[in-house]
Amino acid sequence: MINMFSKIFGTSNDREVKRYRKRANQITALETTYQAMSDEELQSSFNALKQKVQNEEVKLDEVLNDSFAITREASRRTLNMRHHDVQLIGGMVLNDGRIAEMKTGEGKTLVASLPVVLNAMTGKGVHVVTVNDYLASRDAKELEPLYNFLGFQVGAITGDLKDDEQRKEQYNADITYGTNNEFGFDYLRDNMHYDLEEKVQRQHHFVIVDEVDSILIDEARTPLIISGPTNHKSADYVKSQQIAMQLEKGELIEPKDPSEKPYSTGDFTVDEKNRSVLLTEQGIEKAEGLYGVDNLYSLENAMLSHNLDQALKANYIFEKDVDYVVKDNEVIIVDEFTGRLSEGRRFSEGLHQALEAKEGVTIQEESQTLADITFQNYFRMYDKLAGMTGTAQTEATEFAEIYNLDVVSIPTNVEVQRIDRNDLIFKSEIEKFDAVAKKIKEYHEKGQPVLVGTASIEKSEHLNKLLSKLKIPHTVLNAKQHEKEGKIIADAGQKGAVTIATNMAGRGVDIKLNEETLSLGGLAIIGTERHESRRIDNQLRGRSGRQGDVGESQFYLSLEDNLLRIFGSDKIKGIMERIGIEEGEHIESKMVTRAVENAQKKVESMHFESRKHLLEYDDVANEQRKVIYAFRNDLLNPDYNIDSKLDENRAEYIQNLLMNAEIIDGMPSEDFNYEFIITKFKEELNLLVEKEDIVAEDYPALEEKLISIIKEVYEQKMSVAAPEQKSEIERILYLQILDKAWREHLYSMDTLKTGIGLRGYNQKDPLVEYKKESYNMFIELISNIKNEIIKVLFTVQLQSQDDAQKEREALEKMKAEMEEANEGAITNLEEQQILSNEKKIARNEPCPCGSGKKYKQCHGKSGPKRGLVAGN
C-alpha cells in the first residue's frame, strides 16, 4: 500500500528534491548575467554581497541564488568545472544543515564549494571535515584557485603540522579543511593551554562532514581522549595470560527439556555475538587456585578478575590480522571500518596490555584520561552541521535522533547503469574462495578490471595466495600497504587490473575508466563477505558505475562467514540441505539475500544502541565539561575579575569552616568551637591567630571577621608583587588546581562508569544511578577546587620586588611545565597511548626554575609539579 502511494504521489524525498529543483532553476536563470561579466566585475559583485552579509543587511538565504550562481561561474573559470543542477541541489541541502546522499562519482567535493563559499561570507570561518589527511590536503589544494578568486584564504589541518602557530594560521583562514581527529584533538588541547594566545581554534560556526556516515556513525563508538601516565599500579598481565592459557574453553548447552536452564561445560564460554567471555563455576575455582586466592571476586582481587577477563577476550575474541596486527614489536589496531592501521591508538581498560602479553611483545604502561569528548558532542557544538556521503539512508533514524539531521537523497546526474546481481551462497569458505578465484580469472582473461572487497587483512592475504598460484597478476590494498593507496586505486580501472582491497569505506578516491574498459563491461565488483553494515556493502558496490558508467557487482558468501554463522545461517542452511546442494555448488535467490539483509539489520540495531548508550553517558560528562571549560576560559581572559572570584571563594571557605566548627563529637555545641578554627588556620593556611582575635558576638559577625582577617593577611602578603603580576600568579595557580582536580574527577568518572552496570542487578537503572553519583561528585569537585585555591594562595612564597625578574622567570617556567604535563598522548576511548616530552635533567643539577635548590629537591620531586607553591 505504501509503495503504491509512493508511486502515485511520490515519496517525501521526491517532494524535497522537487522543491530544491525549482530554486536550482532560478540559479541557472542568473547564469547568463554572470557569464557576461569580466573577472573584476564578477569579483566586485561577490564582494558587494559579502559586505551586505557582514553588515547584517541581508540574511544568507537571501543571497544564496546569487552566491551559488557566482560560485558556479567562478568554478568554470578557475577549475574548468561547472556545477550540474543536481550539484546545486546538493549544495542547498548542505546549506540547510542536512545530509546530502550522493552516489560515488557525483562530485561531492565540488558540491561542498557552494555552501562553503556562502557561509564563509560571514567571516566566522567554515570547516570541512574529511576522513584522512590525504583527502584534506587534496580537496583544499584542488579548490584553492576557486576560493582565492572569490577573496578567501584556505587552510588545511593535517597530522604533520606540529607547530601551534602553523595550526592557528590554518584555522584563521576563511575555509579550513582537516580530519575529524585533528579538529577534535585541537579542541581538547586548546582547553589545556595556559594562555588564550596559544589556542589554535576559533569559534565553531559551520561544518560540512564528508563521508558523514563513517565519521558520525562508525567512529562515534570511540570518543577522542587525551591521556597521560597513570600513577596506579599495573597488574601482572603476563601471569593473567599464562592462567588464561591453562583454562579450557567450553560450550553453552541447551537442554532438551525447555523447563531446564542452559548450562556450560569447560572453564569458560565465549559469546561471539556480544563479544564477551563468561567464566563457569569450575573456571572460577580453577583460576582462584592458579592465582592462589580464596575469592577471585573480592574487592582486593578485583584487578585479577578484570585482567583474566581481558586476557580471555584477547585470546578468544580478538584475532591477529583481523582486529590487530603485530608490527615492530607493537600491537597495532586495525580499523574495522576502513581496514587501515590505527597507529597511536590503544584499546583501554588493560585490553591492549592483554594483547601485548598474548603476542609476547613489550607491554606498555596503562594511562589515564586527561581530557575527552565524543564525536557526537564535538560536532554538536557547531552552530550549523551538515554532511555528505554516498550511503546514509540506512542510518537515517540515527542521524535524526542523535544529530537532528535529516537525509535527502540527491538524484544522479546520469542514471546508474551498474547491474547488481543476487548474492551467491556456498556451504564452506573454501568453496566460496575457489569460486571467487575462478570468477576473477574469467574477468582477467576478458580484460575487464575487477575490484575484490575482503572483510579483513587475513582474508585478503588468503586470496592473494590463491591468485598467485593461478598466476593472475594483481595488487593487494590492505592496512599493510595503505601508503600506496592513492596509486593503487587510481590504477584499479586499467584493462585487466585485479585489485584486492580490505574495506573500501571512506577511501574517497574515484576509480576512473577509459573507453576500452567501458566497452569490456566496466568495473566488476566482487564482495567476498557481507559486512555487518549494509551501508559499507553499498559503498563497495558504489565504486563501480560512477557518472552513468557500466559495471556490475556481486557478493560471494558462505555459511562459515561471521555474519551468517552468528546471526542468520540456520534458516539458509536448512534451505541448502532441502535443495541438496553438492560441494562447490551454490544457491542464488532473493529470499536468501533478504535473510542476509535481516541479519545485517540486527547488527546495525545493536551498534546503534551501543552508540546511543555511549552518548547518554557522555552527555552527563559533557554538561560538566562545558562548565569547567567555560570557567577555564574566564581564567585565561586577562580582563576577568579574579579578585571578586577569590572573595567569593574566601567566603565559602569560612562558611564551610564554621559549619564544621559547630560540631563536637557529632553533636551541635552550645558555643562555637574556636579551637577548631585556630587549628585549621594554622594547618591549612599557615596562619597563626589567637582566640581573642576572632571572638565575635554572633555567627554573622564571626563570619565577617574571619573573612576580613584572611583577606587582609593575604593582600599584605601579595603586596610585594605588582598588581598585574599578582593577578597572573592567581590565574596560573587557579588553572593548575582546576586541571589537576578535573583529571582526578575524570579518572573517578571512568571508575564509576566501569562498575555502574552492576546496579542493574539491584533493580536500579544504571544510567539514572550514574547521573546521580556523577552530579554529587561534580558538586564535591567544585567545592574542593574553591577550597584548594585559598589554601594554595596562602602557602605561596613570593620574592621581593628586587628579584622581580627571577619571579617572572619562575612564572614562565611554571606555565611551561604545566603545558608539558598536559601534552600527554592522543587516543580513542577503546584506545590509549602515552607520549612523553619531559626534558631530561640530572637529579643533582640546579633546578631550572631558579630556586637555587638541586633539581631532585625542587621540581624533580615525585608527585605533581608545585610551581611557586612552597610547603608550610
Side-chain angles (χ1 to χ4, degrees), residues 303-317:
M303 194 52 76
L304 298 181
S305 58
H306 174 75
N307 268 5
L308 180 58
D309 185 50
Q310 298 294 51
L312 289 168
K313 278 184 187 175
N315 285 281
Y316 296 97
I317 301 284

Side-chain angles (χ1 to χ4, degrees), residues 125-141 144 153-190 198-204 207 215 224 378-379 382 826:
V126 172
H127 292 169
V128 184
V129 180
T130 62
V131 290
N132 59 47
D133 284 352
Y134 164 72
L135 292 175
S137 301
R138 184 200 72 177
D139 293 355
K141 195 174 179 181
E144 192 167 21
Q153 292 301 308
V154 187
I157 302 290
T158 54
D160 56 3
L161 283 180
K162 303 300 178 192
D163 183 61
D164 279 354
E165 280 305 312
Q166 288 177 304
R167 284 180 175 263
K168 194 171 185 177
E169 188 183 335
Q170 303 304 309
Y171 278 116
N172 283 338
D174 301 288
I175 300 153
T176 307
Y177 284 78
T179 66
N180 47 317
N181 282 341
E182 294 298 327
F183 281 121
F185 282 128
D186 281 339
Y187 168 73
L188 290 177
R189 279 190 291 258
D190 273 356
E198 290 169 350
K199 287 194 169 198
V200 296
Q201 284 189 349
R202 46 185 181 146
Q203 64 209 97
H204 296 85
V207 64
I215 291 169
L224 295 167
Y378 174 73
F379 285 109
Y382 283 86
I826 299 165

